[in-house]
């Protein structure tokens, strides 16, 4: 799952060391990146995307219910409008984005998946221009071109190795990135109303219930318990270490160092995915992958600086 919406920046004038926040941001980015590695490992045991995402969300559900309750203590109850917005944001930002991502990982490498998802800031920029007529400057256009050139470079390399299914996988993961960008664009007002942790807990709870309901409609219920034991353990690890824990770590990092610095530290995410893909999954690493990764990171960094 991609990075959650930003919380408020730290209070100006209050001196505090940066390293705890930077470590939290880096750890959260690495933990988020591990999700793709775990999904690819689980696919080796013959599980399908519908079952795998259900197991991940089933194990994560109690944690996010607890988060929503804890973050909402002493705060006003949600209105009917709030519930409608939370349901829509949960569908777009966590259910649809996660499901498309899991589907796409059946066809492309974990490294390529993370590079596509890392285009998220560029998609938020483009959606802002399309939906709200926000101006895009020349430096931002250059940053977009650099980022997408990096993705195109890795896409061409993977297409030669893996064949036509790479296009399908890339399209699914790109759809995931777009779905989460829509969530980010429209979640700003609700973050201010509910708080980032409460909104994340509620929206993710909605997504968990949707994934479980989807499984109940499309698969016999006993399929969940006939999967390989390794899939169950990998799903627990995915739910705790790569879904719930990094949400908390990134939020804590943002509180300490601010959203901008936490986001820039998160650039370690794609590099960690590439490293884990090579070391754990045996994915190839060569000049094409290195150049593409560098271009994507450079483009996102340029975009962050220009804003």
């Amino acid at each position: 799952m991609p990075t959650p919406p930003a919380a408020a920046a730290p209070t100006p004038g209050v001196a505090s060391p940066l390293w705890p926040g930077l470590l939290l941001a880096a750890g959260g980015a690495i933990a988020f990146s591990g999700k793709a590695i775990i999904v690819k490992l689980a696919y080796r045991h013959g599980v399908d995307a519908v079952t795998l995402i259900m197991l991940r969300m089933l194990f994560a559900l109690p944690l996010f219910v607890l988060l929503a309750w804890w973050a909402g203590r002493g705060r006003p109850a949600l209105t009917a409008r709030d519930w409608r917005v939370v349901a829509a944001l949960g569908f777009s930002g966590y259910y649809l984005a996660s499901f498309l991502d899991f589907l796409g990982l059946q066809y492309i490498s974990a490294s390529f998946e993370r590079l596509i998802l890392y285009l998220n800031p560029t998609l938020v920029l483009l959606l802002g221009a399309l939906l709200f007529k926000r101006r895009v400057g020349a430096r931002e256009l250059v940053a977009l071109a650099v980022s997408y050139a990096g993705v195109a470079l890795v896409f061409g390399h993977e297409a030669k190795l893996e064949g036509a299914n790479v296009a399908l996988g890339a399209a699914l993961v790109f759809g995931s990135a777009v779905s989460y960008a829509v969530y980010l664009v429209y979640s700003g007002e609700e973050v201010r109303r509910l708080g980032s942790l409460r909104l994340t807990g509620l929206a993710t709870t909605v997504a968990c219930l949707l994934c479980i309901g989807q499984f109940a409609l499309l698969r016999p219920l006993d399929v969940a318990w006939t999967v390989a034991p390794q899939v169950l353990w990998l799903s627990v690890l995915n739910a705790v270490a790569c879904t719930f824990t990094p949400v908390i770590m990134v939020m804590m990092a943002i509180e300490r160092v601010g959203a901008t610095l936490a986001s820039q530290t998160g650039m370690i995410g794609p590099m960690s995915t590439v490293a884990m893909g090579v070391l754990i999954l045996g994915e190839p690493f060569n000049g094409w992958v290195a150049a593409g990764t560098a271009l994507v990171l450079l483009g996102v960094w340029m975009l962050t600086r220009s804003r």
Side-chain angles (χ1 to χ4, degrees):
M1 166 180 314
T3 306
T11 305
V14 178
S16 59
L18 290 178
W19 66 265
L22 296 178
L23 285 177
L24 285 167
I30 293 170
F32 271 127
S33 300
K35 176 262 301 176
I37 306 300
I38 291 175
V39 171
K40 296 291 281 188
L41 288 172
Y43 279 147
R44 293 179 176 180
H45 298 281
V47 67
D48 65 276
V50 172
T51 304
L52 188 58
I53 195 171
M54 183 280 297
L55 291 171
R56 175 209 193 193
M57 294 305 209
L58 179 66
F59 294 126
L61 178 59
L63 300 174
F64 283 110
V65 169
L66 183 62
L67 175 64
W69 168 81
W70 183 85
R73 291 174 305 159
R75 307 192 66 171
L78 270 66
T79 64
R81 174 206 169 272
D82 288 332
W83 281 115
R84 289 193 296 269
V85 173
V86 165
L89 293 175
F91 175 85
S92 173
Y94 293 109
Y95 162 71
L96 185 60
S98 295
F99 186 51
L100 292 175
D101 184 37
F102 273 54
L103 288 173
L105 276 167
Q106 295 177 108
Y107 307 109
I108 63 175
S109 68
S111 304
F112 189 30
E113 177 257 11
R114 180 52 46 181
L115 290 185
I116 296 173
L117 291 182
Y118 205 69
L119 293 174
N120 195 264
T122 71
L123 295 172
V124 172
L125 176 69
L126 292 173
L127 285 173
L130 291 173
L131 299 175
F132 306 111
K133 310 301 180 186
R134 293 171 184 162
R135 182 177 175 274
V136 180
R139 286 193 296 180
E140 292 169 324
L141 289 174
V142 172
L144 292 175
V146 171
S147 295
Y148 285 87
V151 170
L153 199 63
V154 179
F155 172 80
H157 170 68
E158 287 221 1
K160 289 181 180 178
L161 294 178
E162 305 294 339
N165 283 339
V166 170
L168 174 59
L172 288 167
V173 175
F174 187 76
S176 169
V178 171
S179 183
Y180 192 74
V182 170
Y183 166 80
L184 290 179
V185 168
Y186 285 105
S187 65
E189 180 183 350
E190 218 57 25
V191 167
R192 289 187 290 271
R193 286 171 54 83
L194 302 179
S196 56
L197 281 178
R198 191 182 186 192
L199 177 60
T200 299
L202 290 168
T204 311
T205 296
V206 169
C208 290
L209 295 175
L210 289 172
C211 289
I212 295 168
Q214 172 183 260
F215 174 82
L217 289 173
L218 299 178
R219 300 287 186 273
L221 295 182
D222 60 351
V223 168
W225 313 118
T226 59
V227 299
Q230 295 92 329
V231 173
L232 293 177
W233 287 112
L234 287 168
S235 296
V236 171
L237 183 63
N238 198 352
V240 177
C242 301
T243 303
F244 179 78
T245 300
V247 167
I248 304 302
M249 293 178 72
V250 171
M251 290 298 181
M252 291 173 65
I254 290 171
E255 288 177 353
R256 286 162 173 76
V257 301
T260 299
L261 191 52
S263 175
Q264 291 173 348
T265 306
M267 286 185 176
I268 195 173
M271 293 184 289
S272 66
T273 304
V274 171
M276 287 187 287
V278 172
L279 296 174
I280 300 174
L281 301 177
E283 292 182 351
F285 180 77
N286 51 37
W288 294 101
V289 176
T293 302
L295 285 173
V296 172
L297 294 176
L298 175 61
V300 173
W301 179 82
M302 291 169 61
L303 182 61
T304 303
R305 298 285 293 180
S306 70
R307 301 173 72 183

